Amino acid sequence: MSDESDPLRDLGKQLPYDRPDPARRDAVRSSLLVAASEGRRPGARSRWLLVGGGFAAGALAAAAIAMIVVRTPAPTAPAAREAVATIESSSAAELQRSTVTTPTGSDELVRVRSGTIRLAMPTVRTGDHVRLQTGDAEVEGSGAYEVVVAADALASVTVSTGTATVRLKGQQQAVFLAAGETWRPTVITAELEVPPAKPDVVATAAVDPASPTAASLSAASPSSSSSSSPSRVAASSSPSPTAASPSRTTVTPSSLPATRPRVVTPSSATTSPPQVVAPVEAATAPRPAVTAPIEPTPPVVTGTSPTESSFRAGYALLRDNKFAAAALELGKAADGAGPLAADARYFQAVALTKAGRAADAERALVQFIDRAATSVRRGRAVVMLARLLAARGDAASARAWFEDALRDADASVVAAARAGITALN
Amino acid sequence: MSAAKPNPAPGGQIVPLRGLDERRSALSEISDEALLASCGVGDSAALGALFDRHHDAVYRLVSRLLRGEPAETDDLVQTTFLEAWKSAHTYGGRGSVKSFLFGIAANTARRHFRSTRRRRAAYADWPEPPRSGTPDEAAVRAQQVARLAAALDELPLDLRTAYVLCDLEDLPGVEAARVLGIRAGTLWRRLHDARRALRDAIEGGTR
């Protein structure tokens, strides 16, 4: 029977079907997660729920009648309850926090104009609301989540525990996020060309030029794979240079180099419109033409420490165009110490850029620039960061970083920076 | 404006970003079974990951079983995953999670079909399938696909479900029978009847 049915099977597999576009799929996904979280918890349903529901309905009806009959006078200036949200913010964050009492509980509003904010909510009682508001969106969640705001526009929301709902102004459909998920505004950017890297670190151990590792590393050129046809990268906004740095584990503002451009200032945040989404400018602006006069050479790694092993594995993956896996491995190496770790952060940023994870790439670049202020790769990292910022429409920040790169000792970096500024003009 | 600077949270409960990255990475590597088990204890992120992994297959199955409007298909797919979320604890590890989802999807589609009973649109408006070979061959192939689609639409839903699950989605017969809640012999019978009817329809059209 199977022999007879094979042609039929082949024919059947050609039947078209209704494949949803990303917008439809995301809408269904959000709706599904909302439905799953709204009281419809998994588990065996009990018939006692019906009985309990009946009693509850009766109780509600009685309560409603009681409220109508015995109308109590309006409360006179009730004291606002203590804020229920625990907030951590970057030192550069600009926010205001207020709590008002509502008939059903409290409404805590956290108005953020820039910076990185982490909110953690213990149990929020029914009727209480904790909302985070930016110029273009509102986020409400339970549990813990991190929000990045740049120029009064929501740049990303990352939920670590619980859930969060993102409502954008002018859009009816809210975006629902579960733990472990990140929301970013989608913009289409121009092709991102990764500038090459130069050797920075040489391990002290002996190097066998014929070894596969050395050969693969020297052949592995992040920029060589960047010469592909222009790709549309769904980039995200991301932490601006000042907004991304305040990670508790990595950078403190005091460690930043003196020449670091401050691209998001309170004044600019309040006077300039949100610049998160600018697909037209990003798509039409001429892309800075960065050539690669110097063949990138990675650090020669021959040791066996975890950092070195991760670096070697990550670089090999990068060479094989397995960008996501490369970013993971290089991230492990970057968590180590020393110049190799700093270089790993740089190449992780390259991998992330290639993988289309612009926000994470920006974050990695900012970390690299902060950690390796004297690295010869710094200029290239600055140009990469500036291009990512330009690609997502943050022209002011991009210009500041391009101008910073003009002081680099590498002529190719300076040329790339000039080209970037020209493109912005 | 005056910017309020809150005090750092003592003993903050916020997971560092690195932990989030690891969690996202772990979600992409975790098995279907573990994701479903996580659904069973209320982890909505696991449900999202399960949706990301299997929504395409479920869409394909639902739209081939019931060629409805996009919104109708969306509803059925969402219902399928929601049912999976609610009944995740009933998954006993027999068969794959994909089969589990297919079983729910097939039953959801059947309930929907019975409740609506509306006439499906003619298959003439199916999009033309991708062409291959010479133009003549491609034209014949396209005609056959169109005939198959029309014949599939005319099949009783039980036979159609058997054919789609076993022949188009490559579900093993025993597993398909189990997720549909029927005996294996019944499934084979339905599959045999479906294939014969479809073959007759295609060959009849070429005579």
Side-chain angles (χ1 to χ4, degrees):
Chain A
M1 187 168 67
S2 60
D3 287 340
E4 292 176 355
S5 63
D6 277 345
L8 189 63
R9 183 189 299 239
D10 294 342
L11 204 60
K13 288 190 175 178
Q14 293 186 31
L15 286 172
Y17 67 95
D18 179 19
R19 188 193 295 266
D21 56 52
R24 252 179 77 195
R25 182 198 61 212
D26 290 346
V28 171
R29 190 182 193 279
S30 289
S31 178
L32 168 69
L33 292 177
V34 169
S37 68
E38 282 179 352
R40 286 181 262 183
R41 294 291 175 195
R45 280 170 287 183
S46 166
R47 71 186 64 176
W48 292 106
L49 285 177
L50 296 174
V51 179
F55 277 114
L60 280 174
I65 293 170
M67 286 181 68
I68 293 169
V69 173
V70 187
R71 184 182 290 267
T72 56
T76 55
R81 289 214 302 263
E82 192 176 341
V84 297
T86 303
I87 297 180
E88 288 182 20
S89 67
S90 61
S91 57
E94 198 180 341
L95 62 91
Q96 275 183 324
R97 193 174 178 183
S98 61
T99 305
V100 296
T101 302
T102 64
T104 58
S106 68
D107 185 7
E108 181 172 358
L109 183 67
V110 184
R111 180 69 173 89
V112 186
R113 286 184 168 76
S114 68
T116 302
I117 311 293
R118 291 176 175 174
L119 290 94
M121 258 106 19
T123 307
V124 179
R125 289 178 296 186
T126 306
D128 285 350
H129 293 279
V130 179
R131 296 177 294 138
L132 185 145
Q133 203 173 57
T134 67
D136 64 341
E138 185 176 282
V139 184
E140 183 169 359
S142 61
Y145 58 94
E146 182 188 82
V147 173
V148 178
V149 181
D152 209 15
L154 189 60
S156 74
V157 180
T158 303
V159 181
S160 51
T161 60
T163 59
T165 305
V166 181
R167 298 183 193 88
L168 293 175
K169 282 184 180 173
Q171 291 187 16
Q172 289 188 337
Q173 176 109 23
V175 179
F176 184 84
L177 300 172
E181 294 186 319
T182 297
W183 173 91
R184 297 183 183 95
T186 301
V187 296
I188 304 300
T189 70
E191 178 193 9
L192 299 170
E193 190 174 286
V194 181
K198 289 192 299 184
D200 193 11
V201 180
V202 179
T204 54
V207 180
D208 177 9
S211 70
T213 302
S216 66
L217 289 183
S218 60
S221 160
S223 62
S224 64
S225 58
S226 71
S227 58
S228 56
S229 58
S231 58
R232 283 153 52 104
V233 181
S236 64
S237 58
S238 72
S240 62
T242 49
S245 56
S247 167
R248 280 184 296 175
T249 56
T250 54
V251 183
T252 58
S254 58
S255 70
L256 302 182
T259 56
R260 178 193 182 102
R262 183 176 176 80
V263 292
V264 177
T265 61
S267 59
S268 67
T270 52
T271 56
S272 59
Q275 296 178 331
V276 173
V277 179
V280 175
E281 291 84 345
T284 57
R287 184 169 51 81
V290 178
T291 56
I294 303 169
E295 188 62 21
T297 309
V300 179
V301 182
T302 58
T304 56
S305 72
T307 298
E308 290 161 342
S309 300
S310 294
F311 186 94
R312 189 183 294 115
Y315 206 95
L317 289 164
L318 181 61
R319 186 200 59 180
D320 291 341
N321 295 337
K322 296 174 180 171
F323 303 123
L328 202 62
E329 280 300 319
L330 290 165
K332 289 177 192 169
D335 289 336
L340 184 61
D343 269 357
R345 186 68 74 197
Y346 172 86
F347 286 109
Q348 185 198 22
V350 173
L352 289 166
T353 306
K354 295 287 188 184
R357 292 162 57 186
D360 294 334
E362 283 183 38
R363 192 190 305 268
L365 285 168
V366 169
Q367 288 178 1
F368 171 77
I369 293 166
D370 286 337
R371 282 173 60 178
T374 57
S375 169
V376 294
R377 296 186 211 281
R378 185 183 182 279
R380 299 182 184 281
V382 167
V383 170
M384 284 172 64
L385 178 59
R387 287 179 161 198
L388 290 171
L389 292 166
R392 68 171 167 88
D394 192 349
S397 302
R399 181 181 300 278
W401 283 111
F402 276 134
E403 287 172 352
D404 179 81
L406 288 176
R407 292 189 289 270
D408 198 83
D410 188 335
S412 66
V413 170
V414 174
R418 282 206 186 97
I421 293 171
T422 305
L424 288 174
N425 295 334
Chain B
M1 63 165 276
S2 63
K5 294 289 171 62
N7 295 324
Q13 306 166 12
I14 303 173
V15 179
L17 279 179
R18 192 187 307 170
L20 278 174
D21 290 339
E22 287 167 359
R23 182 189 167 94
R24 280 195 291 272
S25 173
L27 269 179
S28 66
E29 293 167 3
I30 204 165
S31 68
D32 283 352
E33 289 75 14
L35 283 179
L36 197 58
S38 298
C39 287
V41 296
D43 186 347
S44 55
L47 178 64
L50 208 59
F51 178 87
D52 293 340
R53 210 173 277 184
H54 293 293
H55 76 273
D56 196 50
V58 174
Y59 260 101
R60 190 172 59 228
L61 175 69
V62 168
S63 68
R64 281 178 173 165
L65 287 178
L66 302 175
R67 194 163 60 89
E69 296 298 319
E72 196 178 5
T73 308
D74 289 348
D75 284 348
L76 290 172
V77 170
Q78 183 181 327
T79 304
T80 297
F81 280 97
L82 201 55
E83 283 298 318
W85 161 261
K86 289 176 185 171
S87 57
H89 63 284
T90 66
Y91 173 67
R94 291 182 304 154
S96 66
V97 170
K98 188 177 176 185
S99 304
F100 178 72
L101 291 172
F102 277 2
I104 295 173
N107 286 323
T108 303
R110 188 172 59 209
R111 280 197 301 273
H112 179 77
F113 184 81
R114 286 177 178 167
S115 65
T116 55
R117 295 268 181 196
R118 65 191 179 88
R119 183 73 185 164
R120 302 282 151 183
Y123 268 88
D125 59 353
W126 277 81
E128 194 168 320
R131 296 180 175 229
S132 61
T134 65
D136 284 349
E137 287 174 355
V140 169
R141 194 80 169 164
Q143 280 183 351
Q144 286 179 332
V145 171
R147 275 194 215 105
L148 175 63
L152 189 63
D153 199 32
E154 293 301 320
L155 276 184
L157 186 62
D158 287 344
L159 303 192
R160 194 188 317 167
T161 304
Y163 172 72
V164 171
L165 280 180
C166 293
D167 275 7
L168 303 193
E169 297 298 338
D170 297 322
L171 215 59
V174 176
E175 207 164 324
R178 190 174 50 72
V179 298
L180 292 176
I182 58 178
R183 286 185 295 185
T186 305
L187 179 92
W188 286 118
R189 183 70 196 170
R190 288 180 184 176
L191 187 58
H192 173 75
D193 290 348
R195 287 170 176 168
R196 188 180 57 189
L198 294 174
R199 203 162 39 241
D200 287 349
I202 295 171
E203 290 170 356
T206 57
R207 281 178 201 142

